[in-house]
Amino acid sequence: MVTAADGAGRATTVTRLVEHLRGRGWPVEPTLVAAGIWLMPPSPFVPVGWLLTTVVVAWSQRGDALLADETGLLLRHRSRVTRRYRWGEIREAELTRPGFGQVALAVYPNGGPWDVPGPNSAVLVGRIWRLRMPDPEIQDRVNALLRSRGVRTTD
């Protein structure tokens, strides 16, 4: 359960949380998170709500993809393609599982030891909804692409 430090009510707290998340560029998720928080304490349907939330978020991100070209990594999200990192900015990368049903590329960019994200703190790029890790063949292809561009990989 989420509560406000200043003693604000549930509606105010949820509104603040939604605005905070929207400011970070999360258009669909804040509503679903707020609904889950709103229903959490008294409702026996919380597991069903979390399952529904997972399905809706996965469906909303169904067209997402992580792409690569000669310049660097591109991210396709809701039919928009944006440049994430150039090859020269990436120190190390690896495929990882950030949560249930997700696979992402963890990128460790160049920088100082205290930079976030930086060499000691990864940024997850291109979350893809997938129930299991990619096959070893796909992982090898991703690692080969990264190595061909001068990026270290963690095997």
Side-chain angles (χ1 to χ4, degrees):
M1 184 170 170
V2 176
T3 58
D6 62 355
R10 182 183 285 183
T12 304
T13 303
V14 169
T15 302
R16 288 177 185 168
L17 179 62
V18 168
E19 290 305 315
H20 170 73
L21 293 174
R22 276 196 185 133
R24 298 209 178 258
W26 296 1
V28 174
E29 293 85 348
T31 307
L32 300 174
V33 168
I37 292 169
W38 188 267
L39 296 173
M40 192 170 201
S43 175
F45 300 108
V46 170
V48 174
W50 285 116
L51 178 63
L52 180 63
T53 300
T54 301
V55 169
V56 169
V57 171
W59 181 80
S60 71
Q61 296 180 354
R62 69 191 178 281
D64 292 2
L66 182 62
L67 309 170
D69 64 3
E70 61 279 347
T71 308
L73 294 175
L74 300 165
L75 179 64
R76 183 179 64 211
H77 178 64
R78 296 191 181 147
S79 302
R80 279 189 341 193
V81 177
T82 57
R83 168 91 41 212
R84 291 301 298 200
Y85 285 95
R86 297 185 186 286
W87 295 120
E89 297 172 341
I90 302 173
R91 179 177 167 263
E92 186 176 345
E94 65 180 337
L95 284 175
T96 187
R97 292 196 59 96
F100 174 75
Q102 299 178 33
V103 176
L105 185 67
V107 172
Y108 296 87
N110 293 325
W114 307 110
D115 291 344
V116 176
N120 297 321
S121 175
V123 61
L124 299 177
V125 179
R127 290 182 189 222
I128 299 170
W129 287 84
R130 186 178 176 109
L131 292 179
R132 62 179 199 268
M133 280 296 281
D135 300 330
E137 177 185 312
I138 294 172
Q139 290 180 0
D140 292 342
R141 288 176 55 198
V142 169
N143 288 338
L145 170 71
L146 293 170
R147 284 189 206 108
S148 72
R149 300 299 182 176
V151 177
R152 281 191 329 200
T153 59
T154 307
D155 293 326

